[in-house]
Structure formats: structure tokens, C-alpha cells
Amino acid sequence: MTHEWQPGQIFVFGSNLLGIHGAGAARFALEKCGATWGQERGISGESYALPTCSEPGVGLTLEEVVRHVRTFMFVAMMSPDRTFFLTRVGCGFAGFTDAEIAALQADTISLGV
């Protein structure tokens, strides 16, 4: 089953700081959701690149990912006309656990960021 992207729907995926969207959710975002090769963060087309790696397969520190999650949460809060579909960012190539990523998203929300 595939999702037909509608205006205002944004696919959020884990990216790297080189903007190389060669595999997994990043590749899907590139091919189906308008992600831009070389754009490492932010909205492009119907996608949002959230950095979790410095380069393909090399994870950022959790502290670095926290900064990017906070930026994403701010963008999402400032975009009430958009619906963001969040993948398991950071739980593949970056090597974080679901619990680590979920905790930092919860902390970001509780801070009102």
C-alpha cells in the first residue's frame, strides 16, 4: 500500500549533513516526496530532512540530534496547515534506539519548543 501525498503533508526522514539521500526513508523522500539531493535539513517538496548522521552511516551525537529535533519541532509548530509524518529517524543508520529518540522528542515537546 502506498500513500498518495496530498498538499500540506510532509514526510519527515533522517538525513545526513551531506544531503546524500541514497537509502531507506531518505531515498523514498528523494524519489517520491520531493527531497532535494544535497539539502541536508529542512523542507523540500513534501519532505523534511532531519539530520541524524554526519555522513551516510555515521551517526551524530545525541546532543546534535537534539538540536535538529528542536528545530524540526519549531517548524512543525509554526506550520499548523501541514501534517508531518515522522519516520523512525535515527533508529537505522544513526544507531539510536527507539527509546532514545522518543525520549528526546518528548523532552522537546515538554519544553514547548
Side-chain angles (χ1 to χ4, degrees), residues 13-21 36-42 48-54 68:
F13 66 98
S15 68
N16 60 72
L17 295 177
L18 299 177
I20 298 172
H21 309 313
T36 301
W37 189 268
Q39 181 177 333
E40 75 281 4
R41 70 189 87 199
Y48 184 99
L50 196 161
T52 57
C53 289
S54 57
H68 295 295

Side-chain angles (χ1 to χ4, degrees), residues 4-72:
E4 292 295 326
W5 295 102
Q6 304 298 318
Q9 295 182 333
I10 307 295
F11 179 76
V12 182
F13 66 98
S15 68
N16 60 72
L17 295 177
L18 299 177
I20 298 172
H21 309 313
R27 180 67 172 225
F28 175 82
L30 179 69
E31 294 177 352
K32 304 290 185 186
C33 303
T36 301
W37 189 268
Q39 181 177 333
E40 75 281 4
R41 70 189 87 199
I43 293 176
S44 178
E46 286 83 36
S47 69
Y48 184 99
L50 196 161
T52 57
C53 289
S54 57
E55 58 185 78
V58 180
L60 295 171
T61 67
L62 197 54
E63 293 77 23
E64 291 170 309
V65 175
V66 166
R67 285 197 320 260
H68 295 295
V69 167
R70 286 182 175 160
T71 299
F72 162 68

Side-chain angles (χ1 to χ4, degrees), residues 71-102:
T71 299
F72 162 68
M73 296 298 287
F74 179 78
V75 169
M77 287 179 5
M78 299 306 293
S79 305
D81 57 325
R82 293 180 168 152
T83 301
F84 293 86
F85 294 87
L86 187 62
T87 63
R88 295 176 59 238
V89 295
C91 299
F93 296 120
F96 298 107
T97 66
D98 290 323
E100 288 172 315
I101 297 300

